Amino acid sequence: PVLTHTMQMMRSFVLFLACATTATAITEAEGMTLATDFLASISTGFKANDMSAQKQMMAQDVGWDWSGGVKGAGPQADFFKLMEGSWQAVVSDFLPTNVFSVVDTAQNKIATSFEVTLNIDGRGAGPVCLFTGRNMFTITVDNDNKITYFGGLWDANNAAMNACLASAMPKQEL
């Protein structure tokens, strides 16, 4: 009976592995390339104030969740509208360094951690304000390797970052 149970467990495990590997849509190489291209599209997009290069990487529907309590899901257009009204409105330069990515081919997930220097100047409305911090992005892709989820993690309470954000915002008159 113990041997029979062990054999059944082994068969189940082999079946699990077979399903996990055949359902994989992204390879490690594809995931690493996507991670690199995604960060490059952010750098280019902030510099040009135009995220259109990134749009081809995204699925038609996408979910997002990033530090500071920004969370949602919807059509790709909603994601880019959110970007336009938030980080894209205040960041002129996005310079990632020390990039380290990991691809989970069984779950179609990519995690990328990096240090980043941002020029948070309100797209020229405020003074140059360079902030350097640490970020981690996670993305999930569908079977066509289109991004269906974007997660961003950083210290939303970082005093230096928030001082840059404050200096980038137009002053409100009372």
Side-chain angles (χ1 to χ4, degrees):
V2 172
L3 185 56
T4 302
H5 178 70
T6 302
M7 293 294 285
Q8 288 174 340
M9 294 294 289
M10 289 180 69
R11 283 188 195 129
S12 296
F13 183 69
V14 169
L15 180 61
F16 167 77
L17 288 177
C19 290
T21 57
T22 58
T24 300
I26 195 163
T27 66
E28 183 178 19
E30 290 168 334
M32 295 300 245
T33 298
L34 183 58
T36 299
D37 291 349
F38 186 72
L39 285 181
S41 75
I42 295 172
S43 293
T44 302
F46 280 132
K47 187 68 159 175
N49 194 20
D50 178 5
M51 294 291 181
S52 59
Q54 192 178 86
K55 291 180 181 179
Q56 67 187 2
M57 297 178 194
M58 307 295 272
Q60 288 305 306
D61 292 303
V62 64
W64 57 87
D65 184 0
W66 68 67
S67 294
V70 180
K71 186 175 186 173
Q76 179 192 105
D78 289 357
F79 175 80
F80 288 105
K81 184 176 180 182
L82 177 63
M83 286 294 293
E84 287 173 15
S86 60
W87 288 105
Q88 189 176 336
V90 295
V91 174
S92 294
D93 292 294
F94 176 97
L95 306 167
T97 57
N98 299 321
V99 177
F100 187 90
S101 296
V102 176
V103 180
D104 181 339
T105 60
Q107 295 188 68
N108 289 345
K109 293 184 180 186
I110 304 160
T112 302
S113 63
F114 54 97
E115 293 177 342
V116 66
T117 299
L118 304 173
N119 178 12
I120 305 174
D121 68 348
R123 307 219 55 81
V128 169
C129 193
L130 299 178
F131 167 74
T132 300
R134 292 187 175 119
N135 284 20
M136 181 173 10
F137 290 168
T138 56
I139 58 178
T140 303
V141 298
D142 61 17
N143 289 335
D144 296 319
N145 293 344
K146 298 292 185 184
I147 297 169
T148 60
Y149 171 83
F150 167 76
L153 180 67
W154 57 85
D155 182 3
N157 293 322
N158 183 286
M161 179 186 72
N162 288 319
C164 283
L165 287 168
S167 74
M169 304 291 183
K171 303 294 182 236
Q172 300 291 327
E173 293 193 30
L174 301 175

